[in-house]
């Protein structure tokens, strides 16, 4: 059986040379046989009469559940779990912001400009920055904790106007976000809802809660705490790792937790500790989405943040370089498989949040009041590890990655880059220099052709057809590591897009950072739509999560569908066992929100179909 | 070695193949009264107009050629000269042999009914010629009487009904298909047939065929006195083996040619197979005729092997099995249709289209009927044939599959 | 000859082999899109519980002396002399159910949608590995080279190759 391959050739070579290390790549072939019922979403384990599976001889579960009911239940559960993850992130971020505002933490606020803006635009008010921080945080938390029949208050101010109206009329406005998740679990429990349509609408409400709070609000709070993104050129890839330093690898999604290392590692005590251990200093090694977040805001901590190394499925390989001395994780995309590699490479693990507690990690429960102490323990652990392990392991960091990755794009920085308005971009689209926009987002998986294979292949094809690509999520890690986010990639674009890129000095694939930045893409889209005076479904814009991996991605997807966007997936989200659910998601929904799912596992036919959608929308705008 | 085979149907052609498997060089000659090679079982399809006569061929075009056999179609063997080891044909030709296979099958049996041979529109349903004749006689609106509600009779009735002929079945027993089905299963068919406009008269017999001055059929008279007008009669009262050419020979016959388990007759070098012979049947353990297609094929094969010098017995000689489908309702049955006396247990289940019945004695299946849902029926057939304990009774009987008897040899084959 | 061997003790009862069979014989060939509710018919293999409630995967044996072929009145069923596979020609099939009646193992059935012809395992026609074998996560059904020595029954002596009549 052949090992799974990556779009990243250096990574392939590196893994091939490290045959003693088992990673997810090795586990793909022995897991190649998939369960057909699982694939189609028609296995139900909700009661002890089960598991029930749909076959021609058994077209309903023991309880009478149809394939439509089973699929809808499974789907809603997955979306609810994904939404819960993002809501957990925003909840922690808001609590931290509130505590900083209350003076319970030493952490400064680096993005006060944005705080002031929001205090106005969201009408949360406050006399000074601290009060504004507390007010904003409390309003967010209050919304999250509302019962389900109370609609969340900030939605109207966070959402694009025409969308809000549509959601209101369609009964899609979410009640308290946590209650929406909670009731989704109730609904999908044994012998409760059997109504596939109601469950799909519930998924959309979860999508909206996820998008506006879990994504967009998390970004804003992190911008307030850690500073707003700035466009800059950065290094990316395994090459950012310098073996002379004590290297702390971070994985997860919560900069509001991991960020406490940024300033702490720059302190004089830190320098001493590192020197005593025999190292040149401390470095944070970015990985997964929390690394993307730091990369986005790296202008605020350039000395200590070494750079972004890659995405979820490069983490095991990164540990295998031997140059990582400690892994700090606070959320998901911390693969269980990393634990074996850590053990092998003598790398201790620390978890800051028990939701991501790793079996062989030490749990250091995060407390915003104790950031110094926590950071101190992490530094100590890392330095000790450096001293203890370096003589016992071989360090081998491949020369990998790019030095000229354009990072720091956000809804605001892009607009500023364009001169304070999206007008120039709209003009380029109108003129046809840019055919349209593709938001390539989400995760990486190992099954859509291999690691990043679909993402990279599709992106290359999109830019060839003059469609500019904006990336948010693990797709960013993929695309920067193959050079598509470096200015030289302009050469790979179609003639007109290439010209645009060369004249602006930008690559044809723009790096918005982590999956949380899907929220930024939405704001960017809304800004463009507002400039044009149209609703979102009218834009020549598609969204693709080609290599979606996890439940969070499904919640993101539900947001995209609520926004009325055309969403491509290379792998069906376990729904094809129900004609009804598949029909609604791929067709029927278009009449409700304007959104729809396209499932296509072939790169060329996908790009053909996405291009057709873009051309269609252009035509709709009279372009 | 010179092989002579009389009959070019299921048994005869199966023997040709078997001989060739073992003897590449021997000379094989086949005579048949049939001018064409066809599957008799498909005649109802032709009669119904669903199949062309040409589409009833059951072997490839080049079958005889490929097997290096000479075939004389339309040639009837009239006498067997065992002393000379030769067969005389109606053409005057004489065919000699070293080994002979008689696979002449059977003909429709004409019961002793007044005018049955005189009436001009009285037919059997056995040969392609019969189909042509019935078709010619069966105009729309002209009635047909089917004498006998067995499989062939019902086949003929359904085919004619499909062509718009008004059909009456006369069956002596209390319901149609009395040898194949129990009353309940038969009634389910009767119900469908009647809805389709067929008339079914049970517990009755035709005693006389009514003719006009030119011997044209005008109707039939029943034992009970009732007369039924019709323009044609199909006699479907069973078959009788074609053994007339054996007159004045030492070849032992009962109803058919008596054969042993190697399909050899009482006279050395003469074999018989198919509808023409009688042999030890597996279910009844009695010497009977075994007039079903699978056994004709199998007996032909065994005969062929043994003619070519091997000593081989058949897999089984199980004749009590039937399959059918009328108007979309399929059925399969094996062995007994009713418990014949005390000591038997009967289990039935009916739901929607499906009717199932199992007859058990001392834990062994002796009869099974599956109507509607026939998937997996063969397992019950095998249990009856092999007389193996069913290992289940009651509800569990209805769910038996081969999983319950799983036994796999090293080469992957299954055995019971 | 290549045959599918069955190791019931390894079977997990997941029915993945059935899904695979259904997919292989569905228009798209894809497990994602095969209609599990019956719109694409039924799988040609099955997983049945034995009397001890343990799952047993079952597929056609492509018997040495196939009773289905012997019973076939149209020549639709035949044993391919080269591959030893028992093949079914849907176009010739008359739906007389002689084969369903005769297979002692219940491995050939009326096609579930039209119910006009029989269907059976076709060894995935020319596929290197039959789809069910590929899909089995436990190895309960596996491909093996066998040299058939016995018939499918208690045949005395050695049964030579049987091609059937078609
Ligand atoms: C309408 C109908 C439907 C049937 N349906 C089924 C069914 O569904 N299932 C089933 O199992 N069975 C069925 N049968 C029975 C089945 O057809 C026979 O069992 C089978 O054909 C027997 O084959 P055979 O080779 O022994 O004889 P036959 O098929 O009768 O063939 C006899 C051959 O010998 C030739 N012949 C006869 N006399 C001479 C002679 N004197 N000289 C030279 N050649 C001669 C004939 O021309 C013919 O070629 C059906 C029969 C009929 C008539
Ligand atoms: S269908 Fe049955 S009789 Fe025919 S080859 Fe397969 S297992 Fe043997
Ligand atoms: S795929 Fe394998 S384990 Fe699953 S039911 Fe089939 S034979 Fe059993």
């Amino acid at each position: 059986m052949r090992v799974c391959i990556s779009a990243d050739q250096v990574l392939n070579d590196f893994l091939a040379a490290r045959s003693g290390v088992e990673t997810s790549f090795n586990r793909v072939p022995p897991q190649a046989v998939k369960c057909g019922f699982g694939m189609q979403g028609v296995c139900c384990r909700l009661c002890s009469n089960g598991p029930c599976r749909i076959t021609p001889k058994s077209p309903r579960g023991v309880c009478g559940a149809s394939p439509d009911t089973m699929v809808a239940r499974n789907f809603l559960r997955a979306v609810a779990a994904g939404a819960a993850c993002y809501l957990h992130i925003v909840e922690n971020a808001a609590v931290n912001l509130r505590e900083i505002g209350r003076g319970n933490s030493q952490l400064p606020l680096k993005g006060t400009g944005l705080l002031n803006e929001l205090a106005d635009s969201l009408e949360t008010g406050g006399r000074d920055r601290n009060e504004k921080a507390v007010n904003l945080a409390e309003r967010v938390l209050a919304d999250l904790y509302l019962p389900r029949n109370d609609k969340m208050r900030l939605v109207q101010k966070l959402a694009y106007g025409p969308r809000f109206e549509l959601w209101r009329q369609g009964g899609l406005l979410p009640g308290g976000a946590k209650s929406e998740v909670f009731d989704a679990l109730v609904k999908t429990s044994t012998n409760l809802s059997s109504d596939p349509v109601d469950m799909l609408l519930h998924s959309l409400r979860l999508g909206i809660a996820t998008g506006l709070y879990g994504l967009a609000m998390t970004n804003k709070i992190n911008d307030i705490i850690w500073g707003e993104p700035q466009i800059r050129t950065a290094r990316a890839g395994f090459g950012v790792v310098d073996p002379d330093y004590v290297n702390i690898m971070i994985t997860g999604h919560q900069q509001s937790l991991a960020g406490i290392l940024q300033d702490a590692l720059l302190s004089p005590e830190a320098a001493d500790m590192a020197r005593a251990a025999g190292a040149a200093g401390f470095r944070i090694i970015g990985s997964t989405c929390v690394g993307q977040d730091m990369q986005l805001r790296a202008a605020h901590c350039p000395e200590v943040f070494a750079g972004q190394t890659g995405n979820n499925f490069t983490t095991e390989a990164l540990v295998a370089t031997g140059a990582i001395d400690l892994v700090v994780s606070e959320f998901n995309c911390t693969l269980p498989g990393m634990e074996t590699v850590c053990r092998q490479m003598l790398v201790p693990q620390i978890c800051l949040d028990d939701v991501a507690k790793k079996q062989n990690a030490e749990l250091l429960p995060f407390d915003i009041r104790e950031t110094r102490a926590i950071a101190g323990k992490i530094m100590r652990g890392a330095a000790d590890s450096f001293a203890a392990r370096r003589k016992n392991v071989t360090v081998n960091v491949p020369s990998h990655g790019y030095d000229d990755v354009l990072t720091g794009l956000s809804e605001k920085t892009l607009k500023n880059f364009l001169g304070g308005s999206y007008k120039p971009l709209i003009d380029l689209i109108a003129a046809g220099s840019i055919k349209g926009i593709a938001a390539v987002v989400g995760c990486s998986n190992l099954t859509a052709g291999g690691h990043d294979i679909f993402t990279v292949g599709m992106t290359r094809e999109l830019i060839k057809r003059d469609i500019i690509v904006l990336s948010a999520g693990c797709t960013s890690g993929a695309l920067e590591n193959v050079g598509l986010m470096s200015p030289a990639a302009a050469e790979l674009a179609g003639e007109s897009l290439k010209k645009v890129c060369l004249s602006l000095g930008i690559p044809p694939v723009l790096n918005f950072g982590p999956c949380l930045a899907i929220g930024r893409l939405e704001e960017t889209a809304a800004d463009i739509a507002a400039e044009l005076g149209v609703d979102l479904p009218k834009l020549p814009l598609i969204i693709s999560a080609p290599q979606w991996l996890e439940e969070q991605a499904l919640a993101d997807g539900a947001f995209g569908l609520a926004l009325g966007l055309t969403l491509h997936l290379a792998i069906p989200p376990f729904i094809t066992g129900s004609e009804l659910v598949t029909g609604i998601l791929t067709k029927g929904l278009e009449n409700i929100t304007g959104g729809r799912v396209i499932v296509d596992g072939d790169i060329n036919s996908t790009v053909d179909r996405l291009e057709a959608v873009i051309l269609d929308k252009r035509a709709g705008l009279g372009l | 070695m010179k092989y002579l085979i009389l009959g070019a149907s299921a048994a005869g052609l199966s023997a040709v193949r078997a001989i060739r498997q073992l003897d590449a060089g021997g000379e094989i000659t086949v005579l048949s009264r049939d001018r064409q090679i066809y599957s008799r079982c498909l005649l109802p399809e032709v009669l119904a107009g669903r199949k062309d006569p040409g589409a009833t061929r059951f072997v490839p075009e080049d079958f005889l050629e490929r097997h290096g056999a000479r075939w004389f179609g339309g040639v009837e063997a009239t006498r067997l000269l065992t002393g000379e080891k030769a067969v005389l044909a109606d053409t005057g030709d004489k065919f000699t042999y070293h080994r002979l296979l008689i696979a002449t099958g059977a003909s429709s049996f004409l019961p002793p009914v007044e005018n049955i041979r005189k009436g001009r529109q009285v037919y059997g349903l056995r040969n392609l010629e019969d189909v042509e004749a019935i078709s010619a006689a069966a105009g729309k609106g002209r009635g047909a009487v089917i004498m006998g509600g067995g499989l062939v009779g019902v086949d003929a009735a359904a085919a004619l009904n499909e062509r718009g002929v008004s059909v009456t079945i006369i069956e002596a027993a209390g319901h149609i298909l009395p040898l194949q089905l129990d009353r309940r299963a038969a009634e389910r068919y009767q119900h469908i047939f009647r809805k389709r406009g067929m008339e079914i008269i049970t517990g009755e017999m035709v005693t006389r065929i009514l003719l006009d001055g030119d011997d044209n059929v005008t109707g039939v008279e029943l034992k009970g006195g009732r007369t039924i007008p019709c323009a044609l009669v199909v006699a479907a009262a069973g078959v009788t083996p074609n053994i007339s050419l054996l007159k004045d020979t030492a070849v032992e016959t009962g109803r058919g040619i008596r054969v042993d388990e190697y399909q050899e007759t009482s006279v050395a070098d003469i074999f018989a197979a198919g509808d023409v012979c009688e042999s030890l049947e597996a279910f009844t353990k009695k010497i009977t005729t075994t007039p079903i297609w699978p056994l004709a094929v199998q007996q032909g094969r065994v005969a062929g092997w043994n003619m070519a010098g091997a000593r081989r017995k058949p897999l089984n000689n199980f004749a009590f099995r039937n399959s059918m489908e009328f108007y979309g309702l399929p059925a399969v049955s094996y062995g007994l249709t009713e418990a014949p006396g005390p000591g038997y247990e009967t289990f039935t289940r009916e739901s929607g289209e499906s009717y199932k019945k199992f007859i058990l004695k001392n834990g062994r299946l002796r009869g099974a009927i599956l109507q509607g849902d026939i998937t997996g029926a063969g397992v019950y057939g095998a249990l009856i044939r092999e007389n193996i304990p069913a290992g289940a009774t009651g509800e569990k009987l209805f769910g038996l599959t081969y999983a319950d008897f799983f036994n796999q040899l090293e080469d992957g084959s299954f055995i019971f | 000859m290549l045959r599918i061997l069955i190791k019931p003790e390894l079977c997990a009862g997941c029915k993945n082999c059935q899904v695979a069979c259904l997919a292989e014989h569905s228009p798209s060939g894809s497990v994602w899109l095969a209609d599990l509710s019956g719109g694409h018919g039924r799988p040609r293999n099955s997983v049945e519980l034995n009397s001890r409630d343990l799952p047993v995967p079952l597929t056609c044996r492509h018997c040495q002396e196939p009773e289905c072929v012997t019973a076939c009145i149209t020549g639709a069923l035949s044993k391919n002399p080269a591959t030893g596979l028992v093949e079914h020609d849907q176009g010739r099939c008359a739906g007389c159910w002689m084969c369903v009646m005769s297979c002692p193992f219940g491995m050939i059935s009326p096609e579930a949608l039209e119910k006009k012809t029989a269907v059976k395992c076709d060894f995935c026609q020319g596929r290197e590995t039959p789809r069910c074998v590929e899909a089995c996560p436990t190895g309960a059904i596996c491909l093996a080279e066998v040299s058939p020595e016995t018939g499918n029954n208690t045949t005395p002596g050695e049964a030579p190759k049987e091609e059937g009549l078609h």
Side-chain angles (χ1 to χ4, degrees), chain B residues 54-199:
Chain B
T56 55
R57 192 179 170 96
F58 63 97
V59 288
E61 269 327 304
D62 62 351
F63 176 84
L64 288 155
E65 222 169 89
R66 200 146 49 86
H67 288 82
R70 277 191 307 160
W71 169 49
F72 298 90
V75 174
E76 181 170 343
T78 48
R79 269 190 78 190
L80 169 59
L81 308 169
T82 49
E84 279 181 56
K85 287 195 148 189
V87 166
L88 286 181
D90 60 352
T91 51
D93 294 314
K94 189 192 268 184
F95 296 86
T96 58
Y97 63 84
H98 296 137
R99 302 252 155 86
L100 172 69
L101 174 64
I102 305 171
T104 48
S107 301
S108 306
F109 170 66
L110 295 183
V113 166
E114 198 181 325
N115 289 337
I116 195 161
R117 287 177 195 275
K118 215 167 148 202
R120 292 169 62 183
Q121 292 87 15
V122 180
Y123 312 100
L125 176 55
R126 181 75 194 180
N127 301 316
L128 206 44
E129 295 77 10
D130 296 332
V131 172
E132 284 156 14
I134 297 171
S135 298
K140 269 217 167 69
R142 303 172 69 191
V145 162
I146 314 293
M147 288 170 55
L151 266 179
V152 170
V154 172
D155 263 338
L160 286 171
N161 179 261
E162 233 169 281
R163 294 176 53 146
V165 177
S166 69
V167 174
T168 307
I169 300 176
I170 316 288
E171 167 57 49
H175 56 80
I176 60 168
L177 301 165
L179 299 177
Q180 292 81 14
L181 301 176
D182 69 347
R183 170 173 292 279
R184 181 68 197 124
E187 273 171 353
R188 287 155 62 95
Y189 279 130
Q190 288 177 184
H191 179 70
I192 296 174
F193 293 166
R194 290 193 169 118
K195 271 213 316 218
R196 301 255 172 180
M198 265 190 234
E199 188 169 356

Side-chain angles (χ1 to χ4, degrees), chain B residues 126-404:
Chain B
R126 181 75 194 180
N127 301 316
L128 206 44
E129 295 77 10
D130 296 332
V131 172
E132 284 156 14
I134 297 171
S135 298
K140 269 217 167 69
R142 303 172 69 191
V145 162
I146 314 293
M147 288 170 55
L151 266 179
V152 170
V154 172
D155 263 338
L160 286 171
N161 179 261
E162 233 169 281
R163 294 176 53 146
V165 177
S166 69
V167 174
T168 307
I169 300 176
I170 316 288
E171 167 57 49
H175 56 80
I176 60 168
L177 301 165
L179 299 177
Q180 292 81 14
L181 301 176
D182 69 347
R183 170 173 292 279
R184 181 68 197 124
E187 273 171 353
R188 287 155 62 95
Y189 279 130
Q190 288 177 184
H191 179 70
I192 296 174
F193 293 166
R194 290 193 169 118
K195 271 213 316 218
R196 301 255 172 180
M198 265 190 234
E199 188 169 356
I200 298 165
I201 301 174
T202 55
E204 260 294 9
M205 273 158 59
V206 175
T207 47
R208 189 154 68 105
I209 294 174
L210 306 173
L211 307 176
D212 67 9
D214 295 329
D215 289 344
N216 288 315
V217 173
T218 59
V220 297
E221 189 180 286
L222 305 185
K223 201 175 177 186
R226 186 173 159 194
T227 63
I228 296 161
C230 67
L232 78 121
V233 171
V234 177
V239 295
T240 170
N242 292 329
I243 53 175
S244 60
L245 80 156
L246 297 181
K247 234 187 315 167
D248 306 327
T249 67
V251 177
E252 196 184 322
T253 57
R255 279 202 57 212
I257 304 172
R258 185 72 57 90
V259 292
D260 62 13
E261 50 197 354
Y262 304 102
Q263 301 300 134
E264 195 158 6
T265 66
S266 56
V267 174
D269 294 333
I270 299 181
F271 294 74
D275 284 12
V276 76
C277 69
E278 58 180 37
S279 53
L280 185 66
E281 198 277 330
F283 179 69
T284 51
K285 308 245 166 19
K286 288 192 180 132
I287 305 279
T288 64
T289 54
T290 55
I292 63 169
W293 182 275
L295 289 186
V297 171
Q298 188 187 269
Q299 292 169 1
R301 174 161 60 227
V302 171
W305 285 339
N306 287 291
M307 287 163 77
R311 275 309 256 181
R312 247 175 237 147
K313 296 181 193 175
L315 277 178
N316 60 69
N317 203 35
F318 180 42
F320 277 67
R321 43 176 158 155
N322 309 282
S323 78
M324 67 199 82
E325 170 161 325
F326 302 108
Y327 299 111
L329 184 65
V332 166
S333 68
Y334 309 92
L336 303 174
T337 57
E338 297 287 358
Y344 289 85
E345 289 176 284
T346 301
F347 301 91
T348 58
R349 189 203 263 174
E350 195 169 353
S351 69
E353 263 221 328
S354 159
Y355 172 69
K356 288 180 184 173
K357 170 170 175 173
F358 301 110
I359 300 169
L360 215 58
K361 186 183 187 188
N362 298 329
R364 289 164 208 260
L365 266 179
R366 296 296 289 155
I369 299 172
L370 296 94
Q371 195 179 35
D373 173 18
I374 60 166
T375 298
V379 174
Y380 296 98
L383 294 179
I384 292 171
R385 174 183 93 193
E386 305 293 321
N387 197 29
I388 6 184
T393 115
E395 271 303 294
K396 287 217 162 132
L397 266 182
F398 293 89
L400 289 182
T401 66
Y402 184 67
D404 296 301

Side-chain angles (χ1 to χ4, degrees), chain A residues 235-249 274 278-286 303-309 318 321-326 386 389-390 395-400:
Chain A
R235 290 176 71 194
F238 285 14
V240 305
V241 181
D242 183 342
D244 293 342
Y245 284 78
V246 179
N247 289 314
I248 301 175
M249 171 181 173
F282 283 102
R283 283 281 163 83
I284 299 176
I285 308 298
E303 307 86 349
V304 72
F305 181 66
Q308 175 69 353
T309 53
L318 182 63
T321 62
I324 300 299
D325 299 296
L326 178 73
F386 181 96
R389 65 182 287 282
R390 285 302 182 106
V395 173
N396 168 15
V397 180
S399 104
H400 172 244

Side-chain angles (χ1 to χ4, degrees), chain A residues 94-399:
Chain A
V95 166
N96 289 347
L97 178 65
R98 184 188 65 196
E99 294 310 308
I100 295 170
R102 284 180 181 164
N104 289 331
S105 166
Q106 312 295 313
L107 290 179
L109 294 177
K110 295 183 178 172
T112 46
L114 179 63
L115 178 59
N116 291 331
E117 277 170 41
L118 291 177
D120 288 346
S121 64
L122 300 181
E123 297 172 31
T124 50
R127 281 159 307 182
D128 56 20
R129 67 159 76 158
N130 285 336
E131 200 177 300
K132 284 178 181 168
V134 173
N135 286 357
L136 175 64
E138 283 184 338
R139 290 288 299 276
V140 170
L141 291 170
D143 269 4
L144 297 183
Y145 301 147
L146 284 174
R148 191 152 71 94
N149 53 11
D150 275 357
K151 301 298 172 201
M152 293 199 284
R153 312 277 150 81
L154 293 176
V155 169
Q156 181 159 16
K157 303 201 173 71
L158 290 170
Y160 182 47
R163 278 287 110 180
F164 178 81
E165 219 14 69
L166 183 120
W167 294 341
R168 199 181 54 76
Q169 284 166 15
L172 290 176
L173 290 178
K178 289 195 129 184
S179 305
E180 289 283 359
V181 172
F182 190 99
D183 282 359
L185 293 185
V186 175
K187 227 174 229 191
T188 55
S189 188
T190 319
N191 297 331
L192 280 111
S193 174
S194 68
D195 184 347
V197 174
D198 179 75
M199 287 189 268
L200 290 179
L201 293 177
H202 200 133
S203 303
L204 293 180
R205 279 198 300 276
L206 287 166
I208 294 167
T210 297
L212 298 183
Y213 291 78
L215 303 177
M217 192 46 80
T218 303
N219 293 331
K220 294 186 197 309
I221 294 175
N222 278 333
D223 286 349
I224 292 169
I225 302 177
W226 310 110
E228 293 187 61
Q230 286 171 26
I231 293 182
R232 57 197 284 277
T233 295
R235 290 176 71 194
F238 285 14
V240 305
V241 181
D242 183 342
D244 293 342
Y245 284 78
V246 179
N247 289 314
I248 301 175
M249 171 181 173
I250 51 169
T251 64
H253 283 82
Q254 306 191 80
Q255 194 177 3
S256 70
L257 275 53
I260 60 167
L261 291 172
Q262 292 172 197
D263 291 343
L265 295 182
L266 285 175
S267 65
E269 308 91 83
D272 290 345
M273 206 187 284
R275 214 172 300 119
F282 283 102
R283 283 281 163 83
I284 299 176
I285 308 298
S287 183
T288 74
C289 276
V290 68
Q292 288 289 353
D293 250 321
M294 252 182 224
Q295 184 188 52
L296 203 57
R297 304 185 180 93
H300 306 283
C301 56
E303 307 86 349
V304 72
F305 181 66
Q308 175 69 353
T309 53
N311 59 18
N312 50 356
F313 284 108
T314 59
T315 52
E316 293 157 307
L318 182 63
V319 175
T321 62
I324 300 299
D325 299 296
L326 178 73
V327 174
V328 174
S329 52
E330 32 66 12
F331 209 67
N332 70 340
C333 299
T334 310
L335 306 174
M338 220 163 73
E339 296 170 47
T340 27
V341 189
C342 280
R343 235 172 281 141
Q344 223 172 334
M345 304 308 291
L346 310 176
V347 180
Q349 287 184 264
I350 288 179
C351 283
L352 297 180
D353 188 335
D354 70 353
V355 296
K357 172 71 174 72
K358 294 290 134 182
Q359 201 176 358
N360 61 355
E362 183 192 342
L363 181 64
L364 267 187
F366 184 83
D367 183 340
I368 191 79
R369 281 162 293 218
E370 304 289 342
T371 57
R372 282 236 177 103
I374 293 169
K377 275 192 193 156
I378 292 173
M379 273 158 37
R380 182 77 266 157
D384 288 352
S385 164
F386 181 96
R389 65 182 287 282
R390 285 302 182 106
K391 47 187 180 298
N392 297 321
V393 291
T394 355
V395 173
N396 168 15
V397 180
S399 104

